[in-house]
Amino acid sequence: MGARLARVFRNFNLENRVEQEITKQKPLPAPRHAVRAPPPAGSSGSDAVDTVNRRNDSLLGLLKSVYVDSTDPAAAEESKAAIASKDVERRPLKFSMPGNVPGLAEVTDVPKGSLTIVEALKALSSHQQQPQTCTPEKIAHDYSLGLKDAEAILEFFIPFHVHVLPAKTQKANQIKAS
């Protein structure tokens, strides 16, 4: 029932609307680009074509003397990185996660100058608990790190930041429920 009513309103005065759309002024198309006519056969344009098509032995000799050797710089860097990765000294893990953690079970050693997450957390927690004994120099020596790297880890790597809220007192301003 509703479809019939909708069709009536949709088709209302359809012929008049179509006629208005057909009689509208159509937009003018954009002008075409002007094309130059080819030069006549006896003019100077044919001299230019002859000059281009003629063989110049001196330029050909110069072209033959050019040697181009092309290499991919990304492939060269990858091969250098592969060679460098084989030469990196490695150290055994100091600490590992208890139990069988997926993705970490196969790691038995790390390159010198690198830490695993577990080792970083252990070093940070020992530094937070005993800052006098666990200094950046000791961390750098234990984990084969540079001194700047150890200091940067202690300064910028903050895994836990605990805020202790003071206990509520009677003197504290409280919002009263109204």
Side-chain angles (χ1 to χ4, degrees), residues 26-136:
K26 303 292 187 268
L28 295 175
R32 297 211 173 260
H33 182 70
V35 179
R36 283 195 230 166
S43 70
S44 64
S46 63
D47 295 337
V49 172
D50 291 340
T51 306
V52 170
N53 291 332
R54 190 174 53 233
R55 185 176 182 156
N56 192 339
D57 292 330
S58 63
L59 291 177
L60 186 60
L62 291 174
L63 184 61
K64 286 183 180 180
S65 67
V66 173
Y67 177 74
V68 177
D69 185 20
S70 176
T71 58
D72 187 12
E77 288 180 17
E78 288 176 4
S79 64
K80 287 179 187 177
I83 292 170
S85 66
K86 292 178 183 177
D87 297 338
V88 172
E89 296 181 37
R90 298 184 74 80
R91 64 170 179 81
L93 286 178
K94 298 273 184 189
F95 301 99
S96 60
M97 293 286 285
N100 189 8
V101 179
L104 295 178
E106 64 273 357
V107 177
T108 57
D109 59 347
V110 293
K112 287 188 176 181
S114 298
L115 286 178
T116 61
I117 296 292
V118 177
E119 290 175 331
L121 292 175
K122 180 70 175 170
L124 287 169
S125 66
S126 62
H127 177 72
Q128 285 178 347
Q129 292 171 0
Q130 303 168 345
Q132 292 82 14
T133 59
C134 190
T135 62

